[in-house]
Amino acid sequence: MKQSSVLLKKLFAVLMIASFVCCGKKGITGINTQQCADKVKAVTDALNAYAASPIKANCEAYKSALQNYVNDAVGCGIGTGDLSSARQAIESLTCQ
């Protein structure tokens, strides 16, 4: 559990940084900055809930929020290499 937690925190940090860089105030053509911000908030809220209470339901909600973010990550300017790493991290998260 501890190793997965560290990995997920690193993944989340990478996703957050990528989102803020790619979905900044100036924006990039074709990127919906509000949608990117909403996805990041959903992941943050789910992560906080899971950290506060590491139960299966919160784990699954966190994993789902991450998956939703990854599904739209290209729309937030995240590259394919980062997406591959993110998908591997999501798959390695085991909710018990």
Side-chain angles (χ1 to χ4, degrees), residues 6 13 21 27 33 39 44 50 61 71 82-83 85 88:
V6 171
V21 168
T33 56
K39 296 284 181 180
T44 302
Y50 182 48
N71 290 344
D82 291 330
L83 284 177
S85 297
Q88 288 174 354

Side-chain angles (χ1 to χ4, degrees), residues 50-81:
Y50 182 48
S53 179
I55 61 174
K56 184 176 182 179
N58 288 344
C59 177
E60 289 172 352
Y62 176 52
K63 191 171 183 176
S64 176
L66 283 172
Q67 187 63 55
N68 288 337
Y69 181 80
V70 167
N71 290 344
D72 289 338
V74 174
C76 288
I78 296 177
T80 56

Side-chain angles (χ1 to χ4, degrees), residues 5-19:
S5 178
V6 171
L7 179 63
L8 287 173
K9 287 178 184 178
K10 288 180 182 179
L11 167 66
F12 182 69
V14 168
L15 293 175
M16 289 286 293
I17 291 167
S19 290

Side-chain angles (χ1 to χ4, degrees), residues 23-24 31-41 76:
C23 297
I31 291 179
N32 181 336
T33 56
Q34 184 60 50
Q35 181 182 9
C36 295
D38 291 345
K39 296 284 181 180
V40 169
K41 183 175 180 342
C76 288

